[in-house]
Amino acid sequence: MKAPLIKIKNLRKAYGNFTVLHGIDLEISQGEVVCVVGPSGSGKSTLIRCINHLEPFEDDGEIIVDGIPVRPGRDLADVRAEVGMVFQSFNLFPHMTVLRNVMLAPIRVRKMNEADAEKRARDLLERVGISVQADKYPGQLSGGQQQRVAIARALAMEPKVLLFDEPTSALDPEMVGEVLDVMKKLAGTGVTMVVVTHEMGFARQVADRVLFMDGGNIIEAGTPTEIFDAPKEERTRNFLHAVLDH
Amino acid sequence: MDLFSTFFNIPVLVASLPQLLNGLLVTIGIGITSIIAGLIGGLFLAVLRLYAGPVTNALVRGYIDVFRSIPLLVLLIIVYYALPFVGIRLSPFFSAVTALTLVSAAYTAEIFRAGIEAIPKGQFEASAALGLSNRYTMTDVILPQAIRIVIPPLTNNCINVLKDTALASVVAMPDLLKQATQAQALSANPTPLIGAAVIYLILLLPMVRFVARLEKRFSRGRT
């Protein structure tokens, strides 16, 4: 069997006396699509924000991405170049055109030349259906369009892993679908994806594995069928009952 | 002598005008040099404060607090009259530029810090997640956005620096004010002082209007 792409061992994090993550162990293989679900405050966002060290974590824990340990220092930029992230609030750069947003990191981090970076950016914008708006500024786009640009921006680095931190939670309901469609297409291309989401339909349809988190622990993990149709844990059942049955 | 020929004596004004304009050049020279040096110093301090450890941070904060507290005239007199006792002898020009720059850098650092802090955390996070270095995060993402926020307060600071150049006259710098007082003594008529005041206004009023317009536009853009 192949070595896992992401290896998380005893990941712990606390804010003062409040523990957010209680020693998480998790391995994610190349090409796997993992959806993380659970109630607010369960630590799921914190978990994926630790993977690219946007959140620092306790020293005795360990995260290894593609053989590189995630810790402050010189290697961190290398890890981050391989780990793309899509945020709940898009976080596009408002003073740059959509095209420039997508070109920036390949030019600055990968040292790609302008022409190649532009070609790649235009291809990616085409893929996410934003090619017409390439020369607009983010503020001129709808939320759904902005989030699709953010996905293109992350893809421009050709990352080994894409992290999605509640990518549809800030969107108007009618725009959720267009973003999920892009993500579904992406999942079919063999990119490794870790998706924190409240979209149970998406998780059921796309995930190879679903993790249910609560109170800073992974309570249950399994295939979508195992988690959604036959949850073993009481807490999983309660959560699914609350979000699905109404 | 009537009021008009005392304060608005045209022949005296015409006679002193070359002297006043020479003074204006000196004033602008001190002002621009100090403004540019203060901008560079202030930006450096602000970025240092953002990325350096707690010790450097405390030092920078100390610098900013001290130089925002000390009266500029006191600082200028220390630089010009006290430093020679420890072997540091600066010309009047460099004394004035040094004092103005030290203070301007402190104010500018605070302005830049406020501007950088006004940028949402998500911009830093998105830059970090893409693997951008601290340098590119600053030059490509944060500063271009912060610049728009800091232009009105920075222009205000420029106005203050230009006004404060008048203090250089106390260290025998032939700036606009010094030339005016000399011309006044020579002609035994205060018209050159009025002339100098008018020249200061011509120089600074447009900048004051400019800041007011910027601030208005900025606050309109926010609502």
Side-chain angles (χ1 to χ4, degrees):
Chain A
M1 213 184 107
K2 261 194 307 184
L5 185 61
I6 303 175
K7 226 167 132 173
I8 300 175
K9 244 167 47 193
N10 189 32
L11 175 66
R12 296 190 304 117
K13 170 153 186 95
Y15 296 108
N17 286 328
F18 179 68
T19 307
V20 196
L21 297 173
H22 293 274
I24 304 277
D25 294 301
L26 177 66
E27 294 190 350
I28 295 171
S29 359
Q30 174 87 52
E32 205 181 355
V33 176
V34 176
C35 285
V36 187
V37 302
S40 305
S42 57
K44 48 194 197 310
S45 280
T46 311
L47 169 66
I48 69 161
R49 287 166 56 86
C50 285
I51 296 176
N52 61 356
H53 210 274
L54 286 185
E55 298 284 349
F57 45 88
E58 302 295 328
D59 290 336
D60 52 352
E62 190 181 48
I63 301 180
I64 296 174
V65 176
D66 198 28
I68 312 171
V70 178
R71 59 175 170 232
R74 291 192 158 272
D75 291 346
L76 189 55
D78 295 343
V79 172
R80 284 172 168 171
E82 302 305 332
V83 180
M85 189 166 212
V86 176
F87 299 86
Q88 180 177 347
S89 49
F90 330 136
N91 296 347
L92 293 177
F93 304 132
H95 59 298
M96 293 179 195
T97 62
V98 161
L99 185 69
R100 279 273 146 197
N101 264 275
V102 183
M103 289 169 65
L104 178 67
I107 289 174
R108 291 309 199 196
V109 183
R110 299 272 192 238
K111 309 295 175 202
M112 197 183 256
N113 68 47
E114 287 265 332
D116 291 348
E118 180 171 342
K119 186 177 178 313
R120 178 183 288 184
R122 290 200 185 275
D123 287 348
L124 285 168
L125 289 172
E126 177 87 55
R127 249 173 85 185
V128 299
I130 306 286
S131 47
V132 183
Q133 280 91 353
D135 296 314
K136 288 190 179 166
Y137 285 85
Q140 299 168 281
L141 269 53
S142 72
Q145 291 171 325
Q146 288 191 51
Q147 194 60 301
R148 286 186 279 153
V149 173
I151 293 172
R153 180 177 68 175
L155 286 173
M157 289 293 286
E158 301 191 315
K160 298 213 164 68
V161 191
L162 266 178
L163 307 174
F164 292 84
D165 188 3
E166 304 198 17
T168 57
S169 299
L171 295 175
D172 292 334
E174 72 271 23
M175 291 168 185
V176 170
E178 62 190 67
V179 172
L180 291 181
D181 283 343
V182 168
M183 291 170 63
K184 276 179 207 162
K185 266 201 289 179
L186 213 55
T189 63
V191 193
T192 311
M193 289 166 60
V194 186
V195 186
V196 170
T197 185
H198 292 294
E199 299 293 332
M200 297 303 149
F202 172 81
R204 179 190 276 273
Q205 198 184 337
V206 176
D208 296 312
R209 186 155 47 129
V210 177
L211 308 179
F212 171 71
M213 284 186 74
D214 194 12
N217 288 301
I218 296 175
I219 305 296
E220 197 170 350
T223 63
T225 321
E226 286 168 348
I227 298 293
F228 291 116
D229 298 338
K232 294 193 192 74
E233 299 290 331
E234 175 82 42
R235 275 199 272 181
T236 317
R237 278 196 293 270
N238 288 343
F239 172 73
L240 290 174
H241 184 77
V243 294
L244 294 177
D245 300 346
H246 51 78
Chain B
M1 228 198 285
D2 66 293
L3 197 71
F4 196 80
S5 64
T6 307
F7 287 107
F8 306 99
N9 192 313
I10 300 298
V12 171
L13 182 66
V14 169
S16 65
L17 203 54
Q19 206 182 340
L20 292 183
L21 291 179
N22 269 333
L24 175 64
L25 286 183
V26 172
T27 287
I28 289 175
I30 297 174
I32 287 180
T33 312
S34 309
I35 285 167
I36 291 172
L39 276 175
I40 295 168
L43 182 58
F44 176 73
L45 289 174
V47 173
L48 200 63
R49 213 176 147 176
L50 205 64
Y51 288 119
V55 180
T56 316
N57 206 317
L59 285 173
V60 173
R61 218 171 37 234
Y63 172 93
I64 291 170
D65 289 350
V66 166
F67 284 98
R68 288 209 305 170
S69 310
I70 194 165
L72 184 58
L73 184 55
V74 174
L75 182 64
L76 178 61
I77 287 181
I78 288 175
V79 169
Y80 188 68
Y81 291 104
L83 287 187
F85 285 91
V86 291
I88 303 171
R89 220 169 290 275
L90 296 175
S91 67
F93 180 83
F94 279 110
S95 297
V97 165
T98 302
L100 283 164
T101 299
L102 287 171
V103 172
S104 175
Y107 280 100
T108 308
E110 280 299 275
I111 292 169
F112 275 121
R113 187 183 59 86
I116 291 168
E117 281 179 358
I119 305 300
K121 208 168 123 239
Q123 295 289 307
F124 287 90
E125 290 189 343
S127 308
L130 287 168
L132 289 178
S133 62
N134 286 344
R135 188 186 129 204
Y136 287 133
T137 301
M138 272 296 136
T139 58
D140 293 347
V141 179
I142 306 302
L143 291 180
Q145 297 183 64
I147 279 297
R148 292 162 206 218
I149 303 171
V150 299
I151 279 180
L154 276 185
T155 313
N156 251 331
N157 186 57
C158 291
I159 294 169
N160 285 335
V161 171
L162 281 172
K163 285 199 292 193
D164 289 343
T165 54
L167 291 172
S169 58
V170 302
V171 293
M173 191 68 210
D175 75 325
L176 179 52
L177 177 61
K178 185 77 181 170
Q179 297 282 18
T181 52
Q182 275 173 351
Q184 177 232 344
L186 203 70
S187 59
N189 181 291
T191 300
L193 290 177
I194 305 297
V198 170
I199 292 176
Y200 277 116
L201 286 178
I202 291 172
L203 182 65
L204 291 167
L205 261 179
M207 291 178 73
V208 171
R209 282 309 317 151
F210 176 68
V211 175
R213 272 212 349 241
L214 279 183
E215 280 170 346
K216 205 168 141 196
R217 210 173 72 189
F218 192 65
S219 64
R220 198 173 47 216
R222 244 187 329 206
T223 46

